[in-house]
Amino acid sequence: GEGGRGGPRAALDPGGNSEVPPEEWGRTVEQLGGFLGACTADKDAWQEMCDDPNRGMHPGVVKGYRVCQRFVKPATRGTGCGVALLINARRPMAAAAMVSHTWGEDMLELYEALSDRAGIDVDGHGLVIWFCLMALFQPGDGSGPSVQEQVQASPFERVIRAVRYMCLVITSAQDPYTRLWCVHELDVALGVMQKLQAAGDCRGDQFVVVEWSENARQVYRERIRSWAMEEALEAGLTPEQWELRHAMGPEVEFYRQTLKCEDARCTSEADAQMIRERVEASGGWERLDQRMAEFRRPPLPQQVEETAPAPKEPVAPAAEEVDTALTI
């Protein structure tokens, strides 16, 4: 509702990311689909990004890095606003869900996963999400705060503590546990979840959720299945005997034995140093590894049932729905 969590507040001239609080750098899943639809409609640029091998890109996959460089920065240059505030300039929106993701993700798989999440959320595709690629002001051209200045204000931690829940999105292109920001955000969110549970808050049990793209489900299921079979073979056991010895299932055991958050990386060395200092001050890497593995207790999602709603394809928004300041 007006001024409430997850909705627009009274119309105003927001003043950009330097003045609007980070909790209100939100946009709806529907708006994200419209933005990506406009990007894919530029067929030449999209195909160029599909073919670009930079940053370890896989042919045919467009990742967050490239969308930022080709579309997000040009659209917001000189405005001092991230894409979310530029689109919602007259009514900044408080986020209802924080999206934890990697910038090396497959952007279309990410939208598929978020569309699935929106399909079961009470707000539908009107769900207001905080998506850093389009929440932060990215150009660094002096017309607004630099990325580092925004990060130093702890927007991620503030948003996690303000939303209804955090959604970790997993695509087939990059494992979030290899990225420092993802493990840090998940650590903070799990801490919030524990406090909510202890207080008897109804949000506690579902405060941290995971959404997989369909391709990611298949990739990770096969990866864990193959690992478990190799473990059983080395132990001289059948797969069934091996599973009986690991009551919490192969997924938890996979992460217990393979996860090493200390090896996770971050593009910004300043961010990496900040996160490492926070991890070491809050119990160290072994604690973090254990927490990440324990979080994987639920089994991998089953195949989506036939009755589940199909994800929406990104579509270009109607002209009247886009602020005239946004050009792609």
Side-chain angles (χ1 to χ4, degrees):
E2 293 284 343
R5 179 177 294 165
R9 68 181 186 185
L12 47 77
D13 179 8
N17 282 47
S18 62
E19 296 185 27
V20 178
E23 294 88 342
E24 297 184 358
W25 301 350
R27 66 182 312 181
T28 67
V29 173
E30 183 177 17
Q31 287 176 331
L32 174 61
F35 186 90
L36 290 177
C39 295
T40 59
D42 187 339
K43 298 185 184 300
D44 291 340
W46 195 263
Q47 187 59 50
E48 179 185 339
M49 293 191 297
C50 285
D51 296 337
D52 191 338
N54 291 333
R55 286 185 180 269
M57 304 300 178
H58 306 298
V61 173
V62 174
K63 301 189 179 184
Y65 299 109
R66 295 295 288 150
V67 169
C68 184
Q69 291 295 329
R70 179 61 182 82
F71 292 107
V72 173
K73 288 184 178 181
T76 56
R77 196 166 287 135
T79 70
C81 295
V83 171
L85 276 183
L86 196 60
I87 289 178
N88 300 310
R90 297 179 182 87
R91 290 174 176 263
M93 304 182 81
M98 161 83 172
V99 177
S100 183
H101 66 106
T102 79
W103 279 48
E105 71 229 333
D106 181 319
M107 286 296 291
L108 294 184
E109 286 188 22
L110 173 129
Y111 179 73
E112 172 202 328
L114 287 176
S115 184
D116 286 346
R117 168 52 45 179
I120 60 175
D121 188 274
V122 65
D123 292 331
H125 281 70
L127 172 65
V128 182
I129 58 173
W130 203 94
F131 179 48
C132 72
L133 191 152
M134 299 182 189
L136 296 175
F137 176 61
Q138 301 289 351
D141 60 4
S143 67
S146 68
V147 170
Q148 196 58 39
E149 287 170 339
Q150 293 168 90
V151 168
Q152 286 173 351
S154 301
F156 304 97
E157 293 85 349
R158 288 175 58 174
V159 171
I160 288 170
R161 290 181 170 88
V163 294
R164 284 197 278 118
Y165 61 89
M166 189 185 86
C167 179
L168 174 65
V169 174
I170 302 178
T171 74
S172 63
Q174 189 173 48
D175 189 332
Y177 295 105
T178 66
R179 307 306 298 172
L180 273 175
W181 269 116
C182 287
V183 295
H184 175 58
E185 290 165 355
L186 186 53
D187 190 29
V188 172
L190 290 172
V192 172
M193 183 174 74
Q194 286 183 340
K195 290 179 180 178
L196 291 172
Q197 291 172 331
D201 192 304
C202 62
R203 294 177 296 159
D205 291 340
Q206 293 295 318
F207 185 74
V208 182
V209 299
V210 179
E211 281 295 339
W212 309 71
S213 68
E214 184 58 30
N215 195 23
R217 284 192 185 99
Q218 297 172 8
V219 167
Y220 278 80
R221 185 178 289 116
E222 179 57 29
R223 182 180 301 170
I224 293 172
R225 186 193 69 83
S226 297
W227 175 86
M229 290 184 66
E230 289 179 5
E231 290 290 301
L233 185 62
E234 288 183 10
L237 303 170
T238 66
E240 293 77 13
Q241 291 170 329
W242 185 88
E243 285 201 30
L244 286 173
R245 293 190 179 186
H246 302 91
M248 286 189 287
E251 185 180 358
V252 172
E253 197 61 29
F254 171 80
Y255 283 107
R256 275 182 169 174
Q257 294 194 33
T258 65
L259 192 61
K260 192 173 181 182
C261 293
E262 191 171 6
D263 290 342
R265 293 290 176 261
C266 184
T267 302
S268 166
E269 186 54 41
D271 289 0
Q273 182 177 347
M274 176 192 69
I275 294 170
R276 292 182 186 283
E277 288 174 354
R278 292 181 182 180
V279 170
E280 289 162 4
S282 61
W285 297 100
E286 185 175 349
R287 177 204 65 84
L288 186 59
D289 289 344
Q290 182 176 354
R291 186 175 227 182
M292 296 299 102
E294 290 295 313
F295 172 65
R296 301 311 310 150
R297 280 193 179 206
L300 282 169
Q302 299 298 312
Q303 294 288 344
V304 178
E305 297 179 5
E306 292 182 2
T307 55
K312 288 186 178 181
E313 290 295 324
V315 293
E320 65 270 19
E321 294 176 353
V322 181
D323 193 295
T324 55
L326 178 62
T327 56
I328 300 175

